[in-house]
Amino acid sequence: MAWTKYQLLLAGMMLITGSINTLSAKWADNFSAPGCKGSADHSFSHPFLQAVGMFLGELSCLVLFHVLLCHDRRSPEPKMNTGQTFNPLYFFPPAMCDMTATCIMYVALNMTSASSFQMLRGAVIVFTGLLSVAFLERKLMVSQWIGIFITITGLLVVGLADFVSGEKDEQHKLSEVITGDLLIIMAQVIVAVQMVLEEKFVYKHDVHPLRAVGTEGFFGFVTLSLLLIPMYYIPAGHFGNNPRQVLEDSLDAFCQIGNQPMIVLALLGNIISIAFFNFAGISVTKEINATTRMVLDSLRTVVIWAVSLAVGWERFHGLQVLGFIVLLVGAALYNGLHKPVMEKIPCCARFLGQSSSEERLLSGSTASVNQDT
């Protein structure tokens, strides 16, 4: 069936805003500007402040939800399903997981390339699959286990590509690249915990997706904004890539923004794009299907990679192509994209089984309610 203009708009919005989200964060990282009190030029390395901006973007989804709700209530026949009454504190644990994972990933983005950052996030399939078996008592299909092992292989290939290219990288030291890659994979463990928590405690309350994203954004924004205060005083040595060598120097960030106004454009791109990306992702799942959302997310990696190569942020490496293809195959198998093909092959159709509802996690409504960064 052909897509409607609205469905095409949603798909395009998800692809474009999702790509802008990662690229704008990396663009901000690449700026250098003087800080406070006439300090010398240094890179804009403020991952925790950037994470606050990301949660501000998520929080705007809550504003959008109430705008749509008010508009719907004014119509003669309200149609918007607001979901049942719920305790907002149910969203606090997954929001804390989201906050921790996002901060780790923004730190990692300072150390590695945007394309590797996007590809290595595919590790979430591995950890979500394992945690869903352990805590949700879900039985994975044989194809899903194969997809997990193929994904692990793809991660190793991408890691090897970073190791080889890192030796020639003028922007990042090899140790930084390896550390960044490991941090991204570590963050996916926390993202998987977030997904399992949402599956176990949140989805049963039938909360509107925009409201869910906005509520988690609220908790993340408030909590991390408060944490910026102690972070300003916590020494971090060379890990704190700022003149005072603290965990996060927000004042230095604002001084750099004042000296290099283009940083504001990059930060605004990150804040606005995450709001539109979440809205588009939710709408694509609802209006088209979850498989399309997964395919668009994979295309997002291609766009990010192509732009990074075009602007000279990274160099082309054949191993990355191989790693991306392997990761794509693993994700396709885990999410059941092979089934329509196998159903047309008589000798394979009988092996497919009938329990498609048992593999919802990461393939539809059980994907994290906020697909950030």
Side-chain angles (χ1 to χ4, degrees):
M1 189 175 82
W3 285 5
T4 63
K5 290 182 179 179
Y6 179 60
Q7 288 173 331
L8 286 170
L9 175 66
L10 289 174
M13 185 190 298
M14 181 182 170
L15 179 61
I16 293 169
T17 56
S19 302
I20 290 173
N21 184 248
T22 299
L23 290 169
S24 60
K26 188 63 180 177
W27 186 29
D29 292 342
N30 286 338
F31 277 109
S32 290
C36 299
K37 299 179 181 178
S39 62
D41 275 22
H42 54 279
S43 61
F44 187 81
S45 180
H46 299 281
F48 300 101
L49 186 67
Q50 283 180 281
V52 169
M54 190 275 294
F55 282 114
L56 181 60
E58 286 187 8
L59 178 57
S60 67
C61 289
L62 193 59
V63 177
L64 177 60
F65 167 77
H66 287 290
V67 169
L68 293 174
L69 184 61
C70 290
H71 181 267
D72 183 67
R73 285 177 175 173
R74 289 180 180 178
S75 64
E77 296 181 4
K79 299 178 181 178
M80 189 171 174
N81 177 22
T82 58
Q84 64 191 67
T85 305
F86 68 98
N87 185 347
L89 290 176
Y90 278 122
F91 286 90
F92 187 75
M96 293 304 96
C97 290
D98 187 21
M99 182 190 75
T100 307
T102 300
C103 290
I104 292 172
M105 284 192 281
Y106 274 131
V107 169
L109 190 57
N110 277 290
M111 301 179 176
T112 190
S113 65
S115 62
S116 293
F117 169 83
Q118 196 65 34
M119 290 180 197
L120 291 172
R121 290 179 65 200
V124 72
I125 286 176
V126 177
F127 301 115
T128 307
L130 296 176
L131 289 177
S132 67
V133 171
F135 297 102
L136 299 179
E137 299 180 354
R138 180 165 286 122
K139 293 181 180 179
L140 299 183
M141 304 279 289
V142 174
S143 59
Q144 290 181 303
W145 283 113
I146 295 173
I148 285 174
F149 285 117
I150 291 176
T151 299
I152 293 171
T153 304
L155 294 170
L156 291 173
V157 174
V158 173
L160 180 61
D162 279 350
F163 179 81
V164 174
S165 60
E167 294 179 330
K168 305 172 185 177
D169 194 346
E170 298 175 0
Q171 189 176 5
H172 302 291
K173 297 177 182 178
L174 178 58
S175 58
E176 286 184 349
V177 172
I178 294 172
T179 303
D181 288 355
L182 291 174
L183 285 174
I184 295 167
I185 294 173
M186 185 193 305
Q188 302 320 301
V189 179
I190 302 171
V191 172
V193 172
Q194 175 193 346
M195 290 183 174
V196 170
L197 286 172
E198 288 173 348
E199 170 74 0
K200 197 168 182 68
F201 301 110
V202 175
Y203 287 115
K204 63 182 179 182
H205 293 285
D206 186 30
V207 182
H208 191 281
L210 283 176
R211 195 177 186 182
V213 173
T215 304
E216 287 193 12
F218 170 78
F219 284 124
F221 177 76
V222 172
T223 304
L224 192 54
S225 295
L226 292 174
L227 286 175
L228 289 179
I229 299 171
M231 285 181 184
Y232 183 79
Y233 299 100
I234 297 173
H238 294 293
F239 179 79
N241 193 15
N242 52 70
R244 294 179 58 245
Q245 293 191 334
V246 292
L247 200 55
E248 179 61 279
D249 191 341
S250 300
L251 293 181
D252 179 67
F254 288 115
C255 288
Q256 285 188 288
I257 291 169
N259 291 320
Q260 176 52 273
M262 287 295 287
I263 298 175
V264 175
L265 188 60
L267 296 178
L268 283 176
N270 189 255
I271 294 169
I272 296 170
S273 64
I274 193 63
F276 280 97
F277 176 60
N278 277 306
F279 172 74
I282 291 164
S283 301
V284 164
T285 302
K286 181 181 176 182
E287 297 288 335
I288 311 174
N289 54 50
T291 301
T292 302
R293 184 172 180 173
M294 179 254 169
V295 171
L296 289 171
D297 210 39
S298 299
L299 286 175
R300 181 162 71 116
T301 303
V302 177
V303 173
I304 291 167
W305 195 5
V307 172
S308 297
L309 289 170
V311 298
W313 288 351
E314 55 186 278
R315 297 174 182 174
F316 178 82
H317 202 290
L319 269 178
Q320 264 197 327
V321 179
L322 177 61
F324 175 65
I325 292 172
V326 175
L327 286 172
L328 206 57
V329 171
L333 280 171
Y334 188 89
N335 288 284
L337 267 65
H338 63 292
K339 288 186 175 181
V341 177
M342 291 185 69
E343 283 173 353
K344 296 178 182 180
I345 305 173
C347 62
C348 298
R350 59 193 178 91
F351 292 109
L352 290 179
Q354 300 176 356
S355 56
S356 59
S357 62
E358 288 293 320
E359 42 188 298
R360 294 192 309 123
L361 207 58
L362 274 185
S363 63
S365 61
T366 53
S368 175
V369 292
N370 47 351
Q371 298 290 327
D372 44 68
T373 55

